[in-house]
Amino acid sequence: METLSDAEVLSAMTRVLRTVTGNPSLPAPRSLLRSRWHSAPYTRGSYSYVAVGSSGDDIDVLAQPLPEDPRDPRPLQLLFAGEATHRTFYSTTHGALLSGWREAERLNQLFQAPVSAEAA
């Protein structure tokens, strides 16, 4: 699909939409927005997957912030989000979103002002 022009993709989309809706006079879409995931220079169509011999535990390790030892006196230096770091929804947009929310919450907890006994 990435090698086709927008006009060719719109034409094919129109044929499919008319077929699945059963409406041969359905108007053609006016425009389209599509990714070029396969030819993007930084991804080349790649995605994460659990390799043979790996497990969900490996995904959990990828998601651990650094430094990972909670007794380390240094604050968190590096957080990891993305579809490769979500154990349940790895390799999905949903996993990328949820992992971003997870790390945002981690930052919220890290920078949350302590509540004094008087204010409570």
Side-chain angles (χ1 to χ4, degrees):
M1 292 298 285
E2 289 186 19
T3 63
L4 300 176
S5 69
D6 285 356
E8 290 171 305
V9 173
L10 279 170
S11 175
M13 284 175 48
T14 301
R15 283 194 308 275
V16 169
L17 290 170
R18 287 177 178 166
T19 299
V20 299
T21 63
N23 182 353
S25 60
L26 187 74
R30 290 181 285 215
S31 65
L32 72 111
L33 175 65
R34 59 183 168 146
S35 73
R36 286 187 166 70
W37 186 249
H38 185 266
S39 58
Y42 298 113
T43 58
R44 293 300 209 192
S46 64
Y47 59 93
S48 67
Y49 63 96
V50 179
V52 174
S54 295
S55 71
D57 292 339
D58 297 312
I59 294 168
D60 293 342
V61 168
L62 283 173
Q64 290 303 306
L66 297 176
E68 59 185 309
D69 185 350
R71 295 167 299 177
D72 192 317
R74 297 173 296 168
L76 292 178
Q77 302 293 308
L78 191 57
L79 301 164
F80 299 96
E83 43 87 25
T85 69
H86 196 284
R87 186 179 185 130
T88 307
F89 297 109
Y90 61 88
S91 194
T92 67
T93 303
H94 190 69
L97 175 68
L98 291 175
S99 69
W101 287 351
R102 177 193 66 220
E103 297 311 315
E105 182 56 30
R106 190 185 312 268
L107 288 172
N108 283 338
Q109 295 298 317
L110 182 66
F111 294 112
Q112 186 174 17
V115 177
S116 69
E118 295 171 5

